[in-house]
Amino acid sequence: MTTPMISACSQERQVTVRDWKRPSDTNEQQSRKRLQNVDRKLDKTHELKRVYNNIISEQLSQGVVEVAPDTPTGDRVYYMPHKPVVRQSATTTKVRMVFDASAKPNASAESINDCMYTGPPLQPNLWDILVRARLMQNLILADIQKAFLQIEAKEEDRDSFRFLHTVNGMEKHLRFTRVQFGAEASPFVLGATLQHHLGNQPLNIKIPSTR
């Protein structure tokens, strides 16, 4: 079985290429129906609508998403439904934009998740981490902010992660330029990217003494 592949770096970030089993349905009509439900919910809560629209505006300005071209740049087009998820107890992001890459236009169709190879699990077991942590004199802990969105998606794969959004009553077609959280292969792509960069680091790192 083949798996998603890591390609060469661009000037700013890692570029990844996914491997696909077969084409998918576009899911555009189903996505449009679910967007209408989301719009009705947002119209009832103006503050939630403002925050939700700001999320997309920010991602557009950061290049995380872009306006989808009239002519697709890849072999497949798929529209992901989305909705706001509110967590008032969260200390940082209280409103998240959650996408459904498993949505199907009908029971006999396939989602975009059904059509991609997921790759093997690359996350280390928690038990292994705990054991190694007790054997080492020094530990390095790090957290990558919005890790999936730090990895660029290949141009040919971007139309597989389109979505619809309403701006001032007008329907807009957007697509992700980065690895999309919620897609089946994304954990493998992230893990493979991290392993790729860690493997390119020197084996012997001199740590200055703190004494």
Side-chain angles (χ1 to χ4, degrees), residues 120-135:
L122 297 180
Q123 295 88 345
N125 293 325
L126 180 58
W127 174 255
D128 294 340
I129 296 175
L130 293 174
V131 171
R132 288 199 302 271
R134 297 181 67 87
L135 297 176

Side-chain angles (χ1 to χ4, degrees), residues 8-16 61-64 149-153 158 177-178 193 197:
C9 290
S10 67
Q11 290 184 345
E12 296 183 353
R13 62 187 74 250
Q14 191 77 32
V15 181
T16 62
S61 64
Q62 294 175 347
V64 174
L149 299 183
Q150 304 305 323
I151 308 172
E152 186 174 335
R158 294 180 182 180
T177 66
R178 311 283 175 82
T193 301
H197 286 290

Side-chain angles (χ1 to χ4, degrees), residues 54-117:
N54 284 346
I55 293 174
I56 298 178
S57 297
E58 181 179 331
Q59 290 186 335
L60 277 167
S61 64
Q62 294 175 347
V64 174
V65 301
E66 63 185 4
V67 176
D70 294 333
T71 302
T73 56
D75 295 332
R76 59 187 54 78
V77 175
Y78 178 84
Y79 285 83
M80 299 179 296
H82 56 86
K83 65 178 181 180
V85 173
V86 181
R87 292 180 56 201
Q88 295 295 347
S89 60
T91 56
T92 54
T93 306
K94 296 184 181 297
V95 179
R96 292 186 179 275
M97 190 176 187
V98 177
F99 290 85
D100 184 3
S102 296
K104 303 178 182 181
N106 56 70
S108 61
E110 292 185 310
S111 69
I112 197 65
N113 273 345
D114 294 326
C115 298
M116 68 177 71
Y117 287 108

